[in-house]
Amino acid sequence: MGVRFIVIDRALSDTRIALLVEESLGDAQLYLYEIARPNLGTYSPVEVEVSPGLDKLRTSVARNPAILASRVFVKAPIEGTFVPARNARMIFEKNSVRVVASSEGTSMLLLPLQFSHCLRVSDPRVRVSRADLIFTLIQFDRSLDARLNWVFNFWNHSGCRMEDKADL
């Protein structure tokens, strides 16, 4: 989730990764792998599963890791019919993340960003919520060009962190 490359000191064997470079550095052997189909803000699930916790998510992903691209696990039901988003991108800017996408209807994007109640979205038509235990889910209709800002300071906006703590 949000990781495209892995650098590790042992060989891995998995069909979802490709070895790009093997390098010796002194006594250490390092391996650079690229993950196939990483979520770089491009996962657009169309199925919603209400899941009470980690066990259901873990079991589903162990059976089929690709499920994360098509199904989102949430605490409370999300109503609606969803279509895949197109041309989704995340652009990191100073103090915000800009998310851009389009679709033929209502869509969701599962962002590889830790969800927080301190996240504020620049477009009031966009819904932001928690999904897959820790990630940020965005719902939008037809077009999306919004910024997510993390708004928090100890004196004025600390209540959102208390909400995050309550979610744990």
Side-chain angles (χ1 to χ4, degrees), residues 47-51 53 56-58 60-61 67-68 71-75 110 130-133:
E47 301 170 22
V48 176
E49 183 169 332
V50 177
S51 175
K56 177 67 174 169
L57 176 63
R58 182 181 287 155
S60 297
V61 172
I67 199 168
L68 293 172
R71 183 178 300 164
V72 66
F73 296 83
V74 295
K75 240 163 93 169
L110 181 63
R130 177 186 305 275
D132 294 0
L133 297 178

Coordinates of all heavy atoms in Angstrom, one line a residue, residues 47-51 53 56-58 60-61 67-68 71-75 110 130-133:
E47 N -16.4 -2.5 -4.7 CA -17.2 -3.3 -3.7 C -16.9 -2.8 -2.3 O -15.8 -2.4 -2.0 CB -16.7 -4.8 -3.8 CG -16.9 -5.4 -5.2 CD -16.2 -6.8 -5.2 OE1 -16.0 -7.4 -4.2 OE2 -15.9 -7.2 -6.3
V48 N -17.9 -2.9 -1.5 CA -17.8 -2.5 -0.1 C -18.1 -3.6 0.8 O -19.1 -4.3 0.6 CB -18.7 -1.3 0.2 CG1 -18.6 -0.9 1.7 CG2 -18.4 -0.1 -0.6
E49 N -17.2 -3.9 1.8 CA -17.5 -5.0 2.7 C -17.3 -4.4 4.1 O -16.3 -3.8 4.5 CB -16.5 -6.1 2.6 CG -16.8 -7.3 3.5 CD -16.0 -8.5 3.2 OE1 -15.7 -8.7 2.0 OE2 -15.8 -9.3 4.1
V50 N -18.4 -4.5 4.9 CA -18.4 -4.1 6.3 C -17.7 -5.2 7.1 O -18.1 -6.3 7.1 CB -19.8 -3.8 6.8 CG1 -19.7 -3.4 8.3 CG2 -20.5 -2.7 6.0
S51 N -16.6 -4.8 7.7 CA -15.7 -5.7 8.4 C -15.5 -5.3 9.8 O -15.2 -4.1 10.1 CB -14.4 -5.8 7.6 OG -13.5 -6.6 8.4
G53 N -13.1 -6.0 11.8 CA -11.7 -5.8 12.2 C -10.7 -6.5 11.4 O -10.9 -6.9 10.2
K56 N -10.9 -10.4 9.5 CA -11.6 -10.6 8.2 C -10.7 -10.0 7.1 O -10.6 -10.6 6.1 CB -12.9 -9.9 8.3 CG -13.7 -9.9 7.0 CD -14.1 -11.3 6.6 CE -15.0 -11.3 5.4 NZ -15.2 -12.5 4.8
L57 N -10.2 -8.8 7.3 CA -9.3 -8.2 6.3 C -8.1 -9.1 6.1 O -7.8 -9.4 4.9 CB -8.8 -6.8 6.8 CG -7.9 -6.1 5.9 CD1 -8.5 -5.8 4.6 CD2 -7.4 -4.8 6.6
R58 N -7.4 -9.6 7.1 CA -6.3 -10.4 6.9 C -6.6 -11.7 6.2 O -5.9 -12.1 5.2 CB -5.7 -10.8 8.3 CG -4.4 -11.6 8.2 CD -3.9 -11.9 9.6 NE -3.3 -10.7 10.2 CZ -3.2 -10.5 11.5 NH1 -3.6 -11.4 12.3 NH2 -2.6 -9.4 11.9
S60 N -9.1 -12.3 4.0 CA -9.5 -11.9 2.7 C -8.2 -11.6 1.8 O -8.1 -12.1 0.7 CB -10.4 -10.8 2.6 OG -11.6 -11.1 3.2
V61 N -7.3 -10.8 2.4 CA -6.1 -10.5 1.6 C -5.2 -11.7 1.5 O -4.5 -11.8 0.4 CB -5.4 -9.3 2.3 CG1 -4.0 -9.0 1.7 CG2 -6.3 -8.0 2.3
I67 N -7.4 -8.3 -4.0 CA -8.7 -7.8 -3.6 C -8.7 -6.4 -3.1 O -9.7 -5.7 -3.2 CB -9.3 -8.8 -2.5 CG1 -10.8 -8.6 -2.4 CG2 -8.7 -8.5 -1.1 CD1 -11.5 -9.6 -1.6
L68 N -7.5 -5.9 -2.7 CA -7.4 -4.5 -2.2 C -7.7 -3.5 -3.3 O -8.1 -2.4 -3.0 CB -6.1 -4.3 -1.6 CG -5.8 -5.1 -0.3 CD1 -4.4 -4.9 0.2 CD2 -6.7 -4.7 0.8
R71 N -12.0 -4.2 -3.6 CA -12.9 -4.2 -2.5 C -12.3 -3.4 -1.4 O -11.1 -3.4 -1.1 CB -13.1 -5.6 -2.0 CG -14.1 -5.7 -0.8 CD -14.4 -7.1 -0.4 NE -14.9 -7.9 -1.5 CZ -14.9 -9.2 -1.6 NH1 -14.5 -9.9 -0.6 NH2 -15.4 -9.8 -2.7
V72 N -13.2 -2.6 -0.7 CA -12.8 -1.8 0.4 C -13.4 -2.3 1.7 O -14.6 -2.7 1.7 CB -13.1 -0.3 0.2 CG1 -14.5 0.0 0.1 CG2 -12.4 0.6 1.2
F73 N -12.7 -2.4 2.8 CA -13.2 -2.9 4.1 C -13.4 -1.7 5.0 O -12.5 -1.0 5.3 CB -12.2 -3.9 4.7 CG -12.0 -5.1 3.9 CD1 -11.1 -5.1 2.8 CD2 -12.7 -6.3 4.1 CE1 -11.0 -6.3 2.0 CE2 -12.6 -7.4 3.4 CZ -11.7 -7.4 2.3
V74 N -14.7 -1.5 5.4 CA -15.0 -0.4 6.2 C -15.8 -0.8 7.5 O -16.3 -1.9 7.6 CB -15.9 0.6 5.4 CG1 -15.1 1.2 4.3 CG2 -17.2 0.0 4.9
K75 N -15.8 0.1 8.4 CA -16.5 -0.2 9.7 C -18.0 0.0 9.6 O -18.8 -0.7 10.3 CB -16.0 0.8 10.8 CG -15.4 0.1 11.9 CD -14.5 1.1 12.8 CE -15.2 1.7 13.9 NZ -14.3 2.4 14.8
L110 N -8.9 4.5 -2.9 CA -8.2 4.1 -1.7 C -6.8 4.6 -1.7 O -6.0 4.2 -2.5 CB -8.2 2.5 -1.5 CG -7.6 2.0 -0.3 CD1 -8.4 2.4 1.0 CD2 -7.5 0.5 -0.3
R130 N -12.3 6.4 6.7 CA -11.3 5.4 7.0 C -11.7 4.1 6.3 O -12.9 3.8 6.2 CB -11.2 5.1 8.5 CG -10.2 4.0 8.9 CD -10.3 3.7 10.4 NE -10.1 4.8 11.2 CZ -8.9 5.3 11.6 NH1 -7.8 4.6 11.2 NH2 -8.8 6.3 12.4
A131 N -10.7 3.4 5.7 CA -11.0 2.1 5.1 C -9.7 1.2 5.3 O -8.6 1.7 5.5 CB -11.2 2.3 3.6
D132 N -10.0 -0.1 5.2 CA -8.9 -1.1 5.4 C -8.1 -0.8 6.6 O -6.8 -0.8 6.6 CB -8.0 -1.1 4.1 CG -8.7 -1.6 2.9 OD1 -9.9 -1.9 3.0 OD2 -8.1 -1.7 1.8
L133 N -8.8 -0.5 7.7 CA -8.2 -0.2 9.0 C -7.5 1.1 9.2 O -7.7 1.9 10.1 CB -7.3 -1.3 9.5 CG -8.0 -2.7 9.7 CD1 -7.0 -3.7 10.2 CD2 -9.2 -2.6 10.7

